Amino acid sequence: MSQRERFTGFPGKWQCLNRTISKHLSKYLVEKRMEGEIVVLETLLSLCLLLIGAKIGGEIAKRLNVAAVVGELLAGVLLAPTLFGGLVFFGTHLIVVNEAVHVLAELGAVLLLFLVGLETRFADFRKSGLLATLVAIGGVVVPFVLGYGLVIYWGYPAEEALLVGAALTATSIAITVKVLKDIGKMKTRESNVLISAAVIDDVLGLIVLAIVLGLVRSGSLDVTSIIWTAGVSIGFWLGMTLFGVFVVSKIINILCPRKNCQMYDAEGKPREPHKAGKHCTIRCNGTQEVSAIAMGFGFAYVAGMAGLAPILGAFAAGMSVAETKILNTIQEVTEKINFLMAPLFFVVTGTMVNLSGLTLDSLVFASILIVLAMLGKILGCGIPVYIMTRNAREAIIVGLGMMSRGEVGLIIAGIGATSGIFSNDVFSAVVLMVVVTTVITPIAMTQAYKLLNSHGKPKAKKAAI
Amino acid sequence: MSQRERFTGFPGKWQCLNRTISKHLSKYLVEKRMEGEIVVLETLLSLCLLLIGAKIGGEIAKRLNVAAVVGELLAGVLLAPTLFGGLVFFGTHLIVVNEAVHVLAELGAVLLLFLVGLETRFADFRKSGLLATLVAIGGVVVPFVLGYGLVIYWGYPAEEALLVGAALTATSIAITVKVLKDIGKMKTRESNVLISAAVIDDVLGLIVLAIVLGLVRSGSLDVTSIIWTAGVSIGFWLGMTLFGVFVVSKIINILCPRKNCQMYDAEGKPREPHKAGKHCTIRCNGTQEVSAIAMGFGFAYVAGMAGLAPILGAFAAGMSVAETKILNTIQEVTEKINFLMAPLFFVVTGTMVNLSGLTLDSLVFASILIVLAMLGKILGCGIPVYIMTRNAREAIIVGLGMMSRGEVGLIIAGIGATSGIFSNDVFSAVVLMVVVTTVITPIAMTQAYKLLNSHGKPKAKKAAI
């Protein structure tokens, strides 16, 4: 990204000069010391401001009944080095997205997908029926084709089009579930279809991402290489997931065999008794938790080395831990760590949007992309439901419920930005698409239930009278 | 540090070449993308291996009844780029302590001191009596003088001697408390003196560190500049602490006024009811926690900008939060995050020890330093107790109890290493000193209670019979 380059370029160039000119060891050491300290201090200040900004944004969003992630993103946009973050204060920029901040944000994405994996049971995939599978496939294929087509039509390169298509396939399970809970529709047939389809959709979306990144790397777009890359990506991801779910989870359960046992705190004294099945005899506090998270990092590394996105590995690691007895412990700690890391990822992604670089043309492009993103899910998910059930009401609600992109869409946008595949225009359009669909979904679903329930709720009321 | 330089030098030089030679934007972008990805991947692998190593080391240490921190450190020594971490695997070093890993470790130190601050009440300083103050002063002055003298005598520069002196002043509260709890001596007079003195000692040690770093930076060692730096350091730290404890904590209590109110989870639904005084109406999960931690980062940044060690700022921020109603919430989350971050700090500090660079001379130096470190505390803390109470038994126990250095000693060693002040010999000697005193203290105290209690326990037993 050009603005990251511009604002983090200074230490790099300085290092350059330093390395080539200064040959005196003592002088070199003094400068090295200064340099190390400056990086730590600028990271501390940037983290402080970005986190507080993210949380203020999140709070405002929540009070406006919008998902917190929207506020965190917008806070990032405002704090970008091209806007308020670029203000100079005591001779340094207020916010510097240096390598350390950038890696921390990436770790945030890895931990977030690890947590999503923790909440995903492998058995759910097998249980979810034909209808959910069809809805998920529709929700991947139609938005992908629409997004790819638009970007190609607008004259951007094919690799950008592929990644936009991948971003459009995502579905936010969390937001869909929240809406259904809020309006008390969790136990309906359409909600079952919605949730199963959203889970399958996220996995399909991640596989599409793996294929797209493989294609972008190999650089060729012919049919043979698409099939080859698809096969390798799906195969490797499936292999890693099955290994984790059926081998690693067993090993974890063997290492932590006892169902009801004692935890010790940092000072070595026994802690208050815990529920059965939650803990095993581990004398050093946090060992299970840290090992599980380290395993997430390890899986992410292996996925990255194999040419997949690291987040896919983290997701597989999370799904493996989801099959173990220590799930609750790990989930609790990961959630606490994600209090810090997830907003950091969203706010740093926000800082990559360069508002000052947007033109009228790019705004038009973003608007069309948003409309296609919503239409893609409504048609792609609604049509299979209508064909299978002949129930237009259910078809519309499922279609609307699948619209919101949430975290996975943003993570794909972030990959596009940090890898240099996305131009600023396309990146900003994708982020706007995620924000708008995330804001609109809860509103649209609530309205749809109100309008379409003329043969549901009112009847019940009449019966009550 | 030379080994850090050697192992992280590659990307830097590569960047250098890249920047100066390649002018083609498209080629540049491709390389930038590769570079960003490589940094993320090498960080993921290093974090995975370092964390797992730290936890295995910690578990082994716990099972040998030694503090976990000792095992985490030794794991780091084994995983150093100069030992197993330097093994080449798929063309890359197994463990690369790159800028991101280094900054993460520094954040671990900041969060650790933030947590220590959370456990320190400002009122404790005022309550602790004359005896504890004298013990603390003795425990700072004598080890400082002994350490400074040895390093100067051995022919190292004065700035190294000052920092070694500072490292010798530290006392590990956690380890002292753990020993007293383990042997059931928490409510004795000597334990009260020990705990109060250890708290004052840590703060005095941090102030000594601030003065030393100020002196090293200004480069002059005359009496006027020592007094001036001491005054400025103590003044700034006290000012920051008082501002935090009396102003910021009040603001936090005003922002979170209600004693018994509702928390909402990430999906917006109310969570299970909480105890009074623990939570306030915050709709976005984790806002208080993340804001408090961000405040810790901010205070650390301000301390760093003022020429103090960033950890001093984090400690002040922790003490400020310790005065608020939200203390429990913050403590819980910080502890969970420190499951991950604190071992990372210790293991990364361990990787900085270059065992292959140690000579017989440096081992002799380390042995003398360890003996002086123990003598310094036994004499410096024991003599004030004996003068005040004329009780040799209490004097010996207090002296032995103050020996262990623990976290603060290591943090000072880490500052010495990353800032380039410490040579490898001195750094390794200080780390060894921390390890040995931490291992010996619990053993020495247990033995001392056994040997010296001939007029304590046995009497009680006789009375019982």
Side-chain angles (χ1 to χ4, degrees):
Chain A
M1 289 307 295
S2 63
Q3 74 273 27
R4 275 196 64 228
E5 182 43 34
R6 199 185 314 148
F7 285 90
T8 60
F10 168 67
K13 273 171 206 150
W14 188 82
Q15 220 174 26
C16 235
L17 256 172
N18 183 25
R19 269 179 224 275
T20 41
I21 297 171
S22 151
K23 293 262 172 184
H24 303 282
L25 188 69
S26 64
K27 202 180 165 189
Y28 179 78
L29 272 179
V30 171
E31 313 228 311
K32 185 82 196 154
R33 179 194 315 175
M34 293 291 294
E35 190 194 323
E37 268 176 27
I38 285 172
V39 170
V40 171
L41 289 182
E42 78 181 16
T43 307
L44 282 169
L45 180 62
S46 300
L47 287 180
C48 170
L49 297 177
L50 286 172
L51 286 171
I52 290 179
K55 280 304 174 182
I56 292 175
E59 278 291 319
I60 293 173
K62 278 271 171 187
R63 271 156 221 266
L64 299 174
N65 280 318
V66 174
V69 59
V70 172
E72 292 165 1
L73 265 177
L74 292 178
V77 173
L78 290 179
L79 291 173
T82 47
L83 275 177
F84 297 114
L87 294 176
V88 176
F89 188 72
F90 279 123
T92 52
H93 291 285
L94 216 52
I95 288 175
V96 184
V97 183
N98 62 21
E99 191 176 284
V101 174
H102 174 223
V103 171
L104 271 167
E106 295 273 325
L107 292 181
V110 165
L111 283 171
L112 193 64
L113 263 281
F114 179 70
L115 189 61
V116 174
L118 288 178
E119 288 159 2
T120 311
R121 295 300 301 261
F122 189 74
D124 293 345
F125 290 117
R126 290 186 297 198
K127 260 192 285 174
S128 44
L130 177 67
L131 179 55
T133 311
L134 288 178
V135 169
I137 291 174
V140 164
V141 172
V142 179
F144 184 87
V145 170
L146 289 177
Y148 180 83
L150 174 69
V151 180
I152 290 288
Y153 176 80
W154 218 260
Y156 290 108
E159 56 174 29
E160 230 167 326
L162 286 169
L163 208 55
V164 170
L168 257 60
T169 64
T171 304
S172 166
I173 314 174
I175 292 164
T176 313
V177 171
K178 177 196 180 313
V179 175
L180 292 171
K181 271 186 190 156
D182 284 359
I183 54 183
K185 297 282 175 190
M186 270 301 275
K187 298 287 161 211
T188 57
R189 189 172 68 166
E190 67 266 20
S191 81
N192 282 338
V193 172
L194 259 175
I195 292 169
S196 305
V199 171
I200 302 173
D201 214 17
D202 254 9
V203 174
L204 287 180
L206 290 172
I207 290 172
V208 169
L209 175 65
I211 297 169
V212 166
L213 286 180
L215 288 175
V216 167
R217 260 194 211 88
S218 70
S220 55
L221 292 173
D222 58 296
V223 178
T224 335
S225 75
I226 289 182
I227 293 173
W228 173 248
T229 312
V232 171
S233 300
I234 296 178
F236 193 86
W237 185 80
L238 262 183
M240 191 161 62
T241 306
L242 293 175
F243 174 76
V245 169
F246 292 104
V247 181
V248 176
S249 68
K250 297 270 183 316
I251 296 173
I252 295 174
N253 277 336
I254 291 166
L255 286 175
C256 304
R258 273 147 290 197
K259 287 218 167 186
N260 190 0
C261 58
Q262 189 60 60
M263 272 279 276
Y264 297 83
D265 71 6
E267 290 170 354
K269 69 183 169 79
R271 296 209 314 197
E272 72 275 22
H274 280 283
K275 288 141 236 161
K278 274 191 75 175
H279 294 291
C280 50
T281 314
I282 292 288
R283 302 204 59 184
C284 182
N285 211 359
T287 296
Q288 298 169 49
E289 294 88 333
V290 172
S291 304
I293 290 170
M295 184 184 114
F297 291 158
F299 269 55
Y301 169 76
V302 171
M305 287 301 280
L308 303 171
I311 49 167
L312 276 170
F315 182 73
M319 276 177 69
S320 318
V321 175
E323 303 294 325
T324 66
K325 287 183 222 155
I326 59 171
L327 172 63
N328 290 344
T329 319
I330 311 297
Q331 211 162 7
E332 195 192 328
V333 171
T334 312
E335 270 170 9
K336 294 274 154 71
I337 294 173
N338 276 356
F339 277 179
L340 202 67
M341 298 299 284
L344 189 64
F345 168 69
F346 295 128
V347 74
V348 169
T349 302
T351 63
M352 289 172 190
V353 177
N354 185 351
L355 279 186
S356 62
L358 284 184
T359 57
L360 184 66
D361 184 65
S362 57
L363 283 176
V364 173
F365 172 74
S367 313
I368 301 177
L369 185 72
I370 292 168
V371 172
L372 290 184
M374 296 195 284
L375 271 183
K377 288 287 184 186
I378 296 173
L379 298 177
C381 304
I383 291 172
V385 175
Y386 188 72
I387 292 172
M388 300 282 285
T389 67
R390 298 280 157 194
N391 183 335
R393 180 182 158 275
E394 246 181 74
I396 292 171
I397 285 174
V398 168
L400 291 176
M402 300 284 284
M403 282 194 318
S404 89
R405 260 47 174 210
E407 298 82 351
V408 177
L410 272 186
I411 288 173
I412 296 174
I415 290 173
T418 54
S419 64
I421 296 173
F422 275 173
S423 64
N424 182 55
D425 281 3
V426 173
F427 173 73
S428 308
V430 172
V431 173
L432 276 175
M433 181 275 293
V434 172
V435 172
V436 173
T437 54
T438 308
V439 174
I440 279 187
T441 302
I443 304 169
M445 282 190 80
T446 321
Q447 293 303 319
Y449 266 112
K450 268 190 203 156
L451 293 174
L452 299 172
N453 255 12
S454 45
H455 56 94
K457 268 271 167 66
K459 248 186 221 162
K461 262 185 192 161
K462 269 176 206 157
I465 297 163
Chain B
M1 290 305 297
S2 61
Q3 74 272 30
R4 275 195 62 230
E5 180 46 34
R6 198 185 316 146
F7 285 88
T8 60
F10 168 68
K13 273 171 205 147
W14 188 81
Q15 220 173 28
C16 230
L17 258 172
N18 182 25
R19 268 178 226 277
T20 40
I21 296 169
S22 149
K23 293 262 173 187
H24 303 283
L25 188 70
S26 65
K27 202 181 168 190
Y28 179 80
L29 273 179
V30 171
E31 313 228 312
K32 186 81 195 156
R33 178 194 315 175
M34 292 292 293
E35 189 194 325
E37 267 176 29
I38 286 171
V39 170
V40 171
L41 289 182
E42 78 182 16
T43 307
L44 282 169
L45 180 63
S46 300
L47 288 180
C48 170
L49 297 176
L50 288 171
L51 287 172
I52 289 179
K55 280 302 172 182
I56 292 174
E59 278 290 319
I60 294 172
K62 278 270 167 184
R63 271 157 220 266
L64 300 173
N65 280 315
V66 174
V69 60
V70 172
E72 291 165 1
L73 263 178
L74 292 178
V77 173
L78 291 179
L79 290 175
T82 49
L83 276 177
F84 298 112
L87 295 176
V88 176
F89 188 72
F90 280 122
T92 51
H93 291 286
L94 216 49
I95 289 175
V96 184
V97 184
N98 62 20
E99 192 177 285
V101 174
H102 173 224
V103 171
L104 270 167
E106 295 274 323
L107 292 181
V110 165
L111 283 171
L112 193 65
L113 263 281
F114 179 70
L115 189 61
V116 173
L118 287 180
E119 286 159 2
T120 313
R121 293 300 302 260
F122 190 75
D124 293 345
F125 290 115
R126 290 185 297 198
K127 263 192 280 174
S128 44
L130 178 65
L131 179 55
T133 311
L134 288 177
V135 169
I137 291 173
V140 164
V141 172
V142 179
F144 184 88
V145 170
L146 290 177
Y148 180 83
L150 174 69
V151 179
I152 290 289
Y153 176 80
W154 219 260
Y156 289 107
E159 58 175 27
E160 228 167 326
L162 285 170
L163 207 55
V164 170
L168 258 61
T169 64
T171 304
S172 167
I173 314 173
I175 292 162
T176 314
V177 171
K178 175 194 181 315
V179 175
L180 292 170
K181 269 184 190 158
D182 283 358
I183 55 184
K185 297 282 177 192
M186 270 300 278
K187 298 288 160 209
T188 58
R189 189 172 66 168
E190 67 267 19
S191 81
N192 281 338
V193 172
L194 259 174
I195 292 168
S196 305
V199 171
I200 302 174
D201 215 18
D202 255 8
V203 174
L204 287 179
L206 290 173
I207 290 171
V208 169
L209 175 66
I211 297 169
V212 166
L213 286 180
L215 288 176
V216 168
R217 260 196 211 85
S218 69
S220 55
L221 292 173
D222 58 296
V223 178
T224 336
S225 74
I226 289 181
I227 294 172
W228 172 248
T229 312
V232 170
S233 299
I234 296 178
F236 193 86
W237 186 77
L238 263 183
M240 192 161 60
T241 307
L242 293 175
F243 174 74
V245 169
F246 292 105
V247 181
V248 176
S249 67
K250 297 269 186 313
I251 296 172
I252 294 174
N253 277 335
I254 291 168
L255 286 175
C256 304
R258 274 148 288 195
K259 288 216 169 189
N260 191 359
C261 57
Q262 191 58 62
M263 272 279 274
Y264 296 83
D265 70 8
E267 289 171 355
K269 69 184 169 77
R271 297 209 313 197
E272 72 275 25
H274 281 284
K275 288 141 234 162
K278 275 189 75 175
H279 294 291
C280 50
T281 314
I282 291 289
R283 301 204 60 183
C284 182
N285 211 1
T287 296
Q288 298 170 48
E289 294 89 334
V290 172
S291 305
I293 290 169
M295 184 183 115
F297 290 157
F299 269 54
Y301 169 78
V302 171
M305 286 301 279
L308 304 170
I311 49 167
L312 277 169
F315 183 73
M319 278 177 68
S320 319
V321 175
E323 304 293 326
T324 65
K325 287 182 222 155
I326 58 170
L327 172 62
N328 291 343
T329 318
I330 311 297
Q331 213 163 3
E332 195 193 328
V333 170
T334 313
E335 272 170 10
K336 294 273 154 69
I337 294 173
N338 276 356
F339 277 179
L340 202 69
M341 299 299 283
L344 190 64
F345 168 69
F346 295 127
V347 75
V348 169
T349 303
T351 62
M352 289 172 188
V353 176
N354 185 351
L355 280 186
S356 61
L358 284 183
T359 59
L360 184 66
D361 185 65
S362 57
L363 283 177
V364 173
F365 172 75
S367 312
I368 302 178
L369 184 72
I370 291 168
V371 173
L372 290 183
M374 296 196 283
L375 271 182
K377 288 287 184 184
I378 296 173
L379 299 177
C381 304
I383 291 172
V385 175
Y386 188 73
I387 292 173
M388 299 284 283
T389 66
R390 299 280 158 193
N391 184 336
R393 179 183 158 275
E394 246 181 73
I396 293 171
I397 285 174
V398 168
L400 292 176
M402 299 285 283
M403 282 193 317
S404 89
R405 262 47 176 208
E407 298 83 351
V408 177
L410 272 187
I411 287 173
I412 296 175
I415 290 173
T418 54
S419 64
I421 296 174
F422 276 171
S423 62
N424 182 56
D425 282 4
V426 173
F427 173 73
S428 307
V430 172
V431 173
L432 275 175
M433 181 276 293
V434 172
V435 172
V436 173
T437 56
T438 307
V439 174
I440 280 186
T441 302
I443 304 168
M445 282 191 80
T446 320
Q447 294 302 319
Y449 265 111
K450 269 189 201 156
L451 293 172
L452 299 172
N453 253 12
S454 45
H455 56 94
K457 268 273 166 65
K459 248 188 221 163
K461 263 184 193 161
K462 270 175 207 160
I465 297 163

